[in-house]
Amino acid sequence: MNNPWQAALNPAIYAAAVIPVCVGTSVAFYETGKFDFFCFVLALVGLVLIQAWINLSNDVFDGETGVDRNKPWSLVSLTGNPQLIFWLGNLFLCLGLVSFSLLAWTLGDGTILAVSALGCFLGYAYQGPPFRLAYQGWGELISFTCFGPIAVTVSTYAQSQQWSGISLAASLVVGALTSCILYAHHFPQIEDDRACGKFTPIVRWGTGDASLRFIWLVLAVYSPVALFTLLQVFPWTSLGVLATFPLAWQVYCWICTYHDQPEQVGQAMPLVIQLHFYSGLILTLTLVVGRWIT
């Protein structure tokens, strides 16, 4: 992105919050035929706000360690005011928790608030001191958990007030898509990450081996779709997600070709965000359609 503010805010990345809520809601509709718009909005707004908090606080925490020193489009670098970004992030966190509290109050069930609090703790521990789990190589697993199983199953619960095996199965697909974004994001930053002791998978394995292993995440997206459709957990319409495989292959080939060229490999990011969005959207729509035709 040429505009540093657009790069810093990166609105497209908020699909990482929108898609889990849509998929979780569609699972509930597939199972029950019910849709509560108010609960959907509360879950969606809550998760988007919490993702905003995570993004802003991560900018601050990475500024503290120096890992973003060559990243002029971080909000801390652009504003020169880490305290402002930190407290703005905390405001988003509070508003997100208010949204989930309203959801819990509407349902008369505090379970959602408790699970959301767990997600917030993991979101903080991702980069925040003293944990900084992303610096120990746990970033992909945390993003998978927060924006996969937690976000999707909570969104289903908000509609049906029950935990769902189908929702958990769908969350594996969404979580893997989210991990694809984070994994690809690490390649252009390998030198700064290595210098600051941030042991991402790309730092641990090197760009060559790490680029080849991106195929693991691709398989983690499509294998559950095929398996759960075969087992009749998903409706047969969910096989429509496989239509995005050519895009996933394009991302994989791009990363393998340019893994050691930071500027070029970074151009895979818009593609992997598209992969997440289109795959999640198709899964959402095919579950809804599956309710009607299966």
Side-chain angles (χ1 to χ4, degrees):
M1 298 181 184
N2 294 325
N3 186 326
W5 283 97
Q6 183 182 0
L9 297 173
N10 196 7
I13 201 65
Y14 286 90
V18 173
I19 289 299
V21 178
C22 290
V23 170
T25 302
S26 69
V27 169
F29 181 80
Y30 173 67
E31 292 187 296
T32 68
K34 298 177 181 178
F35 171 66
D36 188 315
F37 180 74
F38 184 62
C39 289
F40 169 76
V41 170
L42 287 175
L44 181 62
V45 170
L47 190 56
V48 168
L49 287 168
I50 286 174
Q51 186 186 355
W53 160 66
I54 290 173
N55 291 347
L56 293 178
S57 61
N58 284 350
D59 259 12
V60 174
F61 297 142
D62 278 342
E64 291 175 349
T65 63
V67 76
D68 277 353
R69 64 184 182 277
N70 293 316
K71 185 180 176 183
W73 60 88
S74 80
L75 286 170
V76 169
S77 298
L78 287 170
T79 63
N81 192 340
Q83 284 298 310
L84 172 65
I85 302 304
F86 179 74
W87 288 110
L88 182 59
N90 286 339
L91 174 62
F92 287 143
L93 171 62
C94 292
L95 292 175
L97 290 175
V98 167
S99 187
F100 279 115
S101 297
L102 286 173
L103 180 57
W105 179 78
T106 300
L107 299 175
D109 187 339
T111 306
I112 281 181
L113 191 57
V115 177
S116 300
L118 172 61
C120 289
F121 170 74
L122 290 174
Y124 175 82
Y126 173 78
Q127 297 274 57
F131 307 101
R132 299 196 191 276
L133 297 181
Y135 284 71
Q136 302 171 41
W138 294 97
E140 279 72 17
L141 181 59
I142 291 174
S143 65
F144 172 90
T145 303
C146 289
F147 291 96
I150 291 178
V152 174
T153 57
V154 162
S155 299
T156 301
Y157 193 90
Q159 295 288 325
S160 63
Q161 288 76 69
Q162 61 185 16
W163 300 109
S164 164
I166 299 177
S167 183
L168 182 60
S171 76
L172 301 180
V173 179
V174 178
L177 287 165
T178 308
S179 294
C180 283
I181 295 176
L182 182 60
Y183 192 90
H185 178 73
H186 289 318
F187 280 91
Q189 300 182 169
I190 182 172
E191 293 304 328
D192 288 339
D193 288 344
R194 182 184 288 122
C196 294
K198 188 174 183 179
F199 294 106
T200 67
I202 286 68
V203 170
R204 291 181 183 276
W205 296 332
T207 60
D209 287 345
S211 66
L212 295 174
R213 290 170 182 172
F214 184 76
I215 197 66
W216 297 353
L217 291 175
V218 173
L219 293 175
V221 171
Y222 296 102
S223 297
V225 172
L227 175 62
F228 291 127
T229 303
L230 180 64
L231 295 176
Q232 298 184 330
V233 175
F234 294 164
W236 64 266
T237 52
S238 297
L239 290 174
V241 176
L242 301 181
T244 64
F245 182 79
L247 179 56
W249 187 255
Q250 182 183 358
V251 173
Y252 171 66
C253 290
W254 186 275
I255 290 175
C256 286
T257 301
Y258 298 108
H259 63 86
D260 58 348
Q261 301 175 49
E263 290 189 11
Q264 285 77 13
V265 75
Q267 295 174 29
M269 284 306 300
L271 295 176
V272 76
I273 291 172
Q274 289 176 35
L275 174 66
H276 177 280
F277 177 75
Y278 290 127
S279 298
L281 180 62
I282 292 172
L283 181 57
T284 297
L285 294 176
T286 55
L287 286 166
V288 171
V289 171
R291 171 72 188 184
W292 294 327
I293 68 175
T294 59

